[in-house]
Amino acid sequence: MAQQWRFRIFGGGLLACWLLGGAAQAACGFGVPVSSALDTYGYVQDWTQNIQVPVSCDGGSVVSAVQLSSVDGTVDLATNRFLGVMRSGSDPLTYFIPDATQLRVLAGVLSLNVTVPGGQWGAPTGTYTDTLTVTVEF
């Protein structure tokens, strides 16, 4: 079985989330994500945000796999990173999540490190967003 959860990444550091999926006999659910302290993207160096998502399963279910997806996102198997694009209107700001094919729920928590690489000088100041879908299989 699979359950999906989506959250929106904001360049300003806010998160919004919602759960997708219907009722099932056994299920896994997501709690409210907790993010590390935020700074502003400074162009010169990478900006990393740690997001911890509580995951709980009932009926003896255990998360066996985690997958990430977004409209412009892809998993780069050569680097094992999820590569995504946040947008402010038509202006893009790329980000990545390392170890995308090896994400695991440990002690009831899925931990994601979202990194916006430095050097994206052409990105105008503003609020950038992307909707990331997290799918857990159990």
Side-chain angles (χ1 to χ4, degrees):
M1 300 181 110
Q3 191 91 24
Q4 289 184 337
W5 176 81
R6 289 186 181 175
F7 69 91
R8 185 160 268 202
I9 302 170
F10 289 91
L14 303 173
L15 289 177
C17 62
W18 58 95
L19 180 67
L20 302 173
Q25 291 177 339
C28 292
F30 299 88
V32 176
V34 177
S35 57
S36 61
L38 298 172
D39 278 333
T40 320
Y41 177 62
Y43 302 103
V44 177
Q45 62 189 23
D46 292 356
W47 174 86
T48 300
Q49 172 75 43
N50 177 267
I51 301 167
Q52 295 187 1
V53 183
V55 180
S56 62
C57 299
D58 65 11
S61 298
V62 176
V63 174
S64 61
V66 177
Q67 297 173 355
L68 304 176
S69 62
S70 72
V71 172
D72 292 321
T74 183
V75 174
D76 180 353
L77 295 177
T79 62
N80 191 27
R81 297 193 293 185
F82 177 83
L83 306 173
V85 179
M86 289 187 276
R87 296 197 181 278
S88 178
S90 62
D91 296 315
L93 191 62
T94 61
Y95 69 92
F96 68 85
I97 299 172
D99 303 321
T101 61
Q102 299 172 4
L103 292 172
R104 299 288 177 258
V105 174
L106 300 173
V109 175
L110 172 62
S111 184
L112 302 170
N113 287 313
V114 179
T115 299
V116 178
Q120 298 185 62
W121 296 98
T125 301
T127 300
Y128 290 76
T129 64
D130 187 29
T131 300
L132 181 67
T133 301
V134 177
T135 303
V136 295
E137 295 181 13
F138 54 96

